[in-house]
Every structure is written in structure tokens, then in C-alpha cells.
Amino acid sequence: MTALPPQVMIRMKRDGERLPHAAIRAFIAGVTDGTIPDYQAAAMLMAIFFRGLDAEELTAWADAMLHSGDVLDLSSIARAKIDKHSTGGVGDKISLPLAPAVAACGVAVPMVSGRGLGHTGGTLDKLESIPGFRVDLSVDDFRAQVDRVGACLIGQTDRIAPADRKLYALRDVTATVESIPLIASSIMSKKLAEGIDGLVLDVKVGRGAFMKDAARARELARTMLAIGRGAGKRVTAVLTDMDQPIGRAVGHSVEVEETIDVLRGGGPPDTRELTIALGAEMLHLAGIDAGRERIAQALDDGRALAKFRDIVVAQGGDPRVCDDPRAVLPFGDEVALGPHRPGVITGIDAEKIGMGVLVLGGGRRRKEDRVDHGVGFVLLKKVGDRVGPGERIGTIYCRAPGPPPAAISLLATAFEIGDEPPAPEPLIHEVIRA
Ligand code: URA
């Protein structure tokens, strides 16, 4: 079938007709090479926003986005190649301990990560708080490091899924981001371009997440699983809680410091548990059983930390971060944050904490903004903890002349304080295996 004119395709989708596979391929090719102008691409996005894509259209749309650029060939690496992707959260530093822990268990981890935007943090920004750490390796260096060290963490190149780059920018300014088929195809096209055998998706649910309720998170997970299945990949989705921040640290240096604690066998229980649970699913996709025990062992016996050191050295970073993070990482001035009343912490609004750190200078409002790696927030109390008069609920890391009032207000009001502890929420809601 030859390509249909864009306005014909837009009308078909607007009226609820199915788009033919070849026409979808031609449309995405036209978006990528610029022959389809932004106004027609935007009209199509809005039509998809309202009408959705059925299973066949979705597979074709995601496949066309995936092949709009380079698909990395990692077939020269004999071991199973498994990655993890999180839909984004607050204090979500899990990739940092996870990649070395999984690599220490014999699985190759090629990880192409993103930067933070809005209230959520990004893995690349956290890694760049380590002096010298480079995330802009060439594809050849990336492949060589995954083979030699077992894991490599880099940023997306211009050549990976360029159609998504264009469509995402358009969605951002045309109110078409919150569409499950568009989110799923955007994420999966980038991940499948990494040349992986399998993928674990950490789909965040809660007020700090994109998907605020479990039903929509489940639908997103199932949609991504369907795309993975269509591409012949092994994919597992884990729905995890994002009501309160993960662990205690939110920011860049502070999250690397927490990572080192986890890699030493310690760290906050939820950060460790997520590392173990997601790591076990990655090992399972690689055909390795008893994953929980293996990952826990690698964290406890120093192999995961040794692997992290190898990654840091291979990517030009200062390995002393593994021994004494405070000696190497930038940290701002410490300011204590107290509670607005004594009592029991009944909730912590993760989005407000993320916004508070953004206002301190640790986040981006626009893609081109620079982040300050030395600012952040460390929660000393989490949901269910008691806070007495004169006690701290957290430590702010900030620059002179001190935290802006807007940051203090966001961080302080994020803590909801009552008299009775709330019923505990599970950290892991559901595991969906293909
Ligand atoms: N992350 C992505 O990469 N794409 C989306 O559409 C949403 C989140």
C-alpha cells in the first residue's frame, strides 16, 4: 500500500477508522525527515489522544518509531542483555545500585537513561554529580563497556528513536502527553532501540507519579508489555508505590550517597527492597533463578560495590566516591527542617518534595536548564514515624543565602501529620509477567 496523504490519515483516525500499517510507517518517516509539518503531526497526536490505537496500530506505530533511527546491535555480547526502565519518580535512584548489582550476578546491563524533568529526577544528572563521570560515550564505547565491565549507563543519542524526540516535543506543547498509547510507544521505542533481550518496567503509581491510580498504571503496563511482545522481547512490569519518595535522599549528590549505602549492604529498607525486587525480575528474564537471594548477596558481600567502582572508573569518574562520598561529591549548606506540629507522619506528598528540590536548584523547568548537584533534601522521617517537638523531619542542602521560602514551604507542607499511624501501603503493588 502506498502512503496516504497526512490529512487523509488524520481524518481516518479522527473518525475512528483503523490506520493501515504501511501508512503508519510512512507517517512516522515523514515526521522524522520533516516532510510532514508539525501542524499535521500535532493534529494526528490529538486524534490519537481521543481515539487511541488498537493493538495492531500500536505495534506498527511503536515499530515505526523504533526504526526511525539506529537500533543498537549488541549481538556480539553473549550474555543476556537486560535493562530496567522506570516511568519516573521522586528519590528514584534505583538504577544506580541496580545496574552494578545485576551485572555482578552475570547479566549484561546496557542502560540508556534520561535526565530529570519537572518534579522527577534523572539518572544521568545523579551520575554527573560524581566528578569526571561521563554519560556521552559513543555507541562503540558503550558496547565495549557493557561487554568488558557488564554495565554501562549513558544518555540517549540523537540517533535513537528520533521520531520520539520530535513527537514528544510536540506532545509537550499540545496537551497530548497523557495518552497511554503515546506514552507506551514513546518509552518502548527508545528502550527496544538499545538492542536488549529483555526489559523490566518499573511503573510508578501514586501522587508522585505520572499515573496517579493503579488502574491507569496497570493499563500502561499492559500496553507496554504488548509492544514488547510484538517486538519479540521478554518484558515484565512491576507496579510500585510512588506516594512518598523512595528512600530518604532526593537530589543528586545525596542520592549517590544513599546509593553507596545500599551498595554496602545498608541504606533505607525501601531503596534496598526495590533494588532486590527489580533485580530479581531482571535475573528471571535472563533465565537465572533465586534472584532475590543473589542480588541481596551481591549487595552484602561487596561485589555490587566493586562493580559500581568499575563502572565509575570506566566512565571517567572519581572512584573515591565509593569509599567516602562526602569527600568527593558537592554538597550545599545544611539547614534543619522542623515539623509544623508534633505527631505521626500520615503521608508525604512526593510531588511537593520533588518540586521543593527543583526550587532549591536541583531540577529543571525546561530541558536546557542546568541543575545544581549539591542541593537536595534528606527525609529523616517517613510515613508512620513519630515526630516530637524540636525534632527534625529533614535536612535541606542549599546555597547561600539559604533555602528560598517557596522551597521551605513545599518541603514542610509535603509532610502530613496526624495522631494515628496510617495503615501501611505495600511498596510493590503487582508484578505483571508477559
Ligand atoms: N517518558 C517517555 O519517554 N515518554 C513519555 O511519553 C512519557 C514518559
Side-chain angles (χ1 to χ4, degrees), residues 85-87 164 168 171 177 179 182-184 186-187 190 210:
H85 176 80
S86 160
T87 55
D164 179 61
Y168 193 87
R171 287 167 57 207
V177 169
S179 150
L182 293 178
I183 295 174
S186 163
I187 291 175
K190 286 176 290 207
F210 241 156

Side-chain angles (χ1 to χ4, degrees), residues 200-280:
V200 172
L201 292 160
D202 181 3
V203 181
K204 297 288 179 205
V205 194
R207 52 185 163 171
F210 241 156
M211 296 290 146
K212 310 284 183 208
D213 69 88
R216 273 185 63 79
R218 196 173 298 119
E219 192 187 336
L220 175 63
R222 289 192 192 286
T223 308
M224 291 194 285
L225 252 56
I227 294 173
R229 206 166 34 239
K233 305 292 178 188
R234 292 168 250 159
V235 185
T236 297
V238 186
L239 267 55
T240 67
D241 184 68
M242 193 64 255
D243 256 350
Q244 62 173 332
I246 299 169
R248 298 198 175 274
V250 183
H252 307 290
S253 292
V254 287
E255 291 195 40
V256 173
E257 187 180 41
E258 184 174 306
T259 296
I260 301 296
D261 287 342
V262 173
L263 290 169
R264 286 182 179 148
D270 54 346
T271 312
R272 177 180 163 95
E273 173 55 24
L274 276 174
T275 306
I276 291 174
L278 296 170

Side-chain angles (χ1 to χ4, degrees), residues 153-433:
L153 298 97
I154 60 166
Q156 202 191 332
T157 74
D158 288 347
R159 286 158 43 195
I160 291 183
D164 179 61
R165 200 174 278 266
K166 288 205 167 181
L167 289 176
Y168 193 87
L170 276 180
R171 287 167 57 207
D172 208 21
V173 292
T174 56
T176 49
V177 169
E178 305 91 338
S179 150
I180 285 180
L182 293 178
I183 295 174
S185 53
S186 163
I187 291 175
M188 293 302 285
S189 62
K190 286 176 290 207
K191 287 284 132 181
L192 296 176
E194 289 174 7
I196 47 176
D197 301 311
L199 176 67
V200 172
L201 292 160
D202 181 3
V203 181
K204 297 288 179 205
V205 194
R207 52 185 163 171
F210 241 156
M211 296 290 146
K212 310 284 183 208
D213 69 88
R216 273 185 63 79
R218 196 173 298 119
E219 192 187 336
L220 175 63
R222 289 192 192 286
T223 308
M224 291 194 285
L225 252 56
I227 294 173
R229 206 166 34 239
K233 305 292 178 188
R234 292 168 250 159
V235 185
T236 297
V238 186
L239 267 55
T240 67
D241 184 68
M242 193 64 255
D243 256 350
Q244 62 173 332
I246 299 169
R248 298 198 175 274
V250 183
H252 307 290
S253 292
V254 287
E255 291 195 40
V256 173
E257 187 180 41
E258 184 174 306
T259 296
I260 301 296
D261 287 342
V262 173
L263 290 169
R264 286 182 179 148
D270 54 346
T271 312
R272 177 180 163 95
E273 173 55 24
L274 276 174
T275 306
I276 291 174
L278 296 170
E281 294 300 334
M282 291 172 75
L283 295 192
H284 183 74
L285 290 182
I288 299 173
D289 57 15
R292 286 191 61 88
E293 294 72 19
R294 288 175 197 268
I295 298 286
Q297 186 76 40
L299 294 174
D300 293 339
D301 67 13
R303 279 179 301 130
L305 181 61
K307 189 59 79 178
F308 187 72
R309 187 187 300 272
D310 293 345
I311 295 168
V312 170
V313 170
Q315 297 192 229
D318 187 337
R320 289 175 302 164
V321 70
C322 300
D323 309 307
D324 186 0
R326 291 263 165 170
V328 174
L329 300 170
F331 278 88
D333 304 329
E334 280 187 36
V335 173
L337 184 71
H340 50 85
R341 58 157 278 199
V344 181
I345 312 289
T346 54
I348 303 175
D349 185 333
E351 186 163 349
K352 277 192 173 180
I353 300 278
M355 288 305 295
V357 171
L358 188 153
V359 173
L360 289 171
R364 287 189 183 80
R365 291 174 201 275
R366 295 153 52 88
K367 279 204 179 72
E368 43 290 343
D369 291 349
R370 287 177 69 84
V371 298
D372 182 340
H373 296 111
V375 302
F377 184 62
V378 174
L379 295 94
L380 299 175
K381 302 286 178 186
K382 297 222 30 193
V383 173
D385 290 344
R386 249 172 217 291
V387 56
E391 264 196 289
R392 287 184 184 194
I393 48 173
T395 304
I396 300 173
Y397 290 86
C398 61
R399 299 297 179 188
I408 298 177
S409 164
L410 281 161
L411 294 170
T413 59
F415 288 81
E416 291 145 13
I417 304 177
D419 298 315
E420 296 299 326
E425 281 287 328
L427 181 60
I428 299 188
H429 293 284
E430 197 173 329
V431 178
I432 309 175
R433 299 198 178 92

